[in-house]
Amino acid sequence: MVGHQSAWDYLLTSLTDLSRERSGTIGIVAPASPTNRKSDVARGIEWWNSHGYQVALAESALERSSYVAGSPKKRALDLMTMFADPDIDAIQCLRGGFGSAEIIPHIDFNVIAENPKPFIGFSDITALHSAIYHYTGLTTFYGPTLTSVVSSMSAFSEQRLLNVLCGETTGTISRNPDDTFVHTLAPGEASGRLIGGCLSDLMFTMGTPWELDLHEAIFVFEDVGSTPQTIDRSLLQLIQAKRFDALKGVVVGDLVGCDWNDGGGSPWPHTKVLEEVLTERLANLGVPVLVGMPFGHGVHFATLPLGAEATLNADEGRLLVA
């Protein structure tokens, strides 16, 4: 594992070079589920082209094998090839879905450590963010996938992603432009590494060598299509497993479709609601907790540099990347 600071410095240098060129090549990999429509891929390529970037698809990026994009070995090889290729400036995942975790045993992380470059994705890609950080110390970006670029990315999300590629990785993370309210669940200020991703996917790292490491970290998480009961269970497990014992702070992003609704699909409706779950599990940890930052499966996505140092000021409702 390379040193965190050296990996971060190298990544910043790469982003500065990318910005200076005002162009570059985005490598597209499919480590999880396949695309449902190749036209979405074409639209994503057109979007990157319109902003001055070229796109290179990994060899197996368009493969389909049940609900994954080809065999685990092929998907792992695609990822390593993109990192090793000097003509690829940044790597974006095609989509999330399912399957990222099964390629991890087939990855040579020395290839990634020796060729650090921006790696972007979210949702099921959480497993790869955790593994890459564990084995290399490299900062990665929790941000939009290629298919989300064309299906749901707002102007806010678009500008944040492009700014990150132009080297604007530090500073205050902007609030949701449609609703600037954030909820301070517990006051205070703390600094630490940003560690996290999609909560349900993070729970599947438990017990693996690349399990999320929250020691002296700011835990950032979001989720989609869950329930208050499932989120309650996940947070309780993290507490009982003592993963919060040396935690510095918590930032909760979008929890899309995770509260009770009258349309059905969730067990035990109208019992404990999501806000009560977060209050009960997080408010008394003794660390600052902020709820409502725009990242995850919502309309607006402020791409986050996972592994980077940040300061959380819950009193002011502010998250500042160092």
Side-chain angles (χ1 to χ4, degrees), residues 120-131:
I120 308 160
F122 78 114
S123 197
D124 185 74
I125 309 303
T126 292
L128 288 175
H129 287 298
S130 294

Side-chain angles (χ1 to χ4, degrees), residues 58-95:
E59 183 177 344
S60 305
L62 300 181
E63 283 199 17
R64 295 182 62 87
S65 178
S66 65
Y67 42 67
V68 293
S71 72
K73 288 185 178 180
K74 279 187 177 181
R75 285 178 279 140
L77 179 60
D78 277 353
L79 182 64
M80 291 184 289
T81 299
M82 286 295 185
F83 269 101
D85 188 341
D87 293 328
I88 300 299
D89 299 291
I91 301 169
Q92 184 185 38
C93 295
L94 183 75
R95 60 165 298 188

Side-chain angles (χ1 to χ4, degrees), residues 133 190-196 212-220 243-251 285 287-288 307-312 319:
Y133 185 77
S191 297
R193 299 163 296 122
L194 294 179
I195 298 294
L212 77 162
D213 177 12
L214 296 177
H215 184 79
E216 297 187 347
I218 296 175
F219 183 32
V220 292
R243 297 304 189 266
F244 287 168
D245 284 5
L247 193 65
K248 290 291 188 178
V250 181
V251 178
L285 293 176
V287 300
E309 291 290 326
T311 298
L312 166 62
L319 178 64

Side-chain angles (χ1 to χ4, degrees), residues 4-302:
H4 163 73
Q5 193 57 46
S6 61
W8 181 232
D9 290 342
Y10 191 100
L11 184 59
L12 289 178
T13 300
S14 299
L15 288 168
T16 300
D17 291 342
L18 194 60
S19 173
R20 187 180 298 118
E21 295 170 6
R22 294 186 176 274
S23 63
T25 300
I26 310 298
I28 303 299
V29 295
S33 291
T35 179
N36 293 323
R37 292 180 295 272
K38 291 183 179 180
S39 59
D40 284 347
V41 177
R43 289 190 182 98
I45 293 173
E46 184 177 282
W47 182 87
W48 279 115
N49 291 164
S50 72
H51 291 283
Y53 294 91
Q54 300 301 309
V55 172
L57 292 177
E59 183 177 344
S60 305
L62 300 181
E63 283 199 17
R64 295 182 62 87
S65 178
S66 65
Y67 42 67
V68 293
S71 72
K73 288 185 178 180
K74 279 187 177 181
R75 285 178 279 140
L77 179 60
D78 277 353
L79 182 64
M80 291 184 289
T81 299
M82 286 295 185
F83 269 101
D85 188 341
D87 293 328
I88 300 299
D89 299 291
I91 301 169
Q92 184 185 38
C93 295
L94 183 75
R95 60 165 298 188
F98 171 83
S100 295
E102 68 178 354
I103 79 169
I104 294 173
H106 303 286
I107 297 173
D108 181 350
F109 285 94
N110 288 326
V111 173
I112 296 176
E114 292 166 4
N115 301 278
K117 60 188 64 172
F119 173 78
I120 308 160
F122 78 114
S123 197
D124 185 74
I125 309 303
T126 292
L128 288 175
H129 287 298
S130 294
I132 290 172
Y133 185 77
H134 173 78
Y135 287 113
T136 73
L138 181 65
T139 295
T140 56
F141 293 96
Y142 198 72
T145 57
L146 184 72
T147 54
S148 66
V149 161
V150 299
S151 64
S152 61
M153 192 163 71
S154 67
F156 171 92
S157 309
E158 173 181 308
Q159 195 58 55
R160 170 63 181 170
L161 176 60
L162 292 172
N163 287 349
V164 164
L165 285 180
C166 288
E168 297 179 26
T169 55
T170 59
T172 301
I173 302 298
S174 298
R175 298 186 184 185
N176 187 323
D178 294 336
D179 182 3
T180 59
F181 176 77
V182 291
H183 183 198
T184 299
L185 204 57
E189 182 175 351
S191 297
R193 299 163 296 122
L194 294 179
I195 298 294
C198 182
L199 181 62
S200 54
D201 291 299
L202 285 166
M203 299 311 295
F204 294 126
T205 71
M206 298 283 283
T208 67
W210 53 89
E211 177 181 321
L212 77 162
D213 177 12
L214 296 177
H215 184 79
E216 297 187 347
I218 296 175
F219 183 32
V220 292
F221 74 88
E222 55 92 18
D223 213 331
V224 61
S226 187
T227 66
Q229 180 245 5
T230 302
I231 290 175
D232 197 357
R233 176 181 289 168
S234 296
L235 295 176
L236 176 61
Q237 182 181 356
L238 289 168
I239 292 168
Q240 292 180 332
K242 301 188 180 299
R243 297 304 189 266
F244 287 168
D245 284 5
L247 193 65
K248 290 291 188 178
V250 181
V251 178
V252 183
D254 293 310
L255 297 173
V256 178
C258 293
D259 219 331
W260 305 122
N261 66 80
D262 293 326
S266 297
W268 311 307
H270 303 301
T271 54
K272 187 184 291 185
V273 297
L274 189 54
E275 187 174 278
E276 292 172 318
V277 169
L278 297 176
T279 300
E280 180 178 332
R281 298 301 180 195
L282 301 176
N284 297 313
L285 293 176
V287 300
V289 180
L290 191 63
V291 179
M293 292 299 287
F295 63 90
H297 289 77
V299 174
H300 302 297
F301 201 143

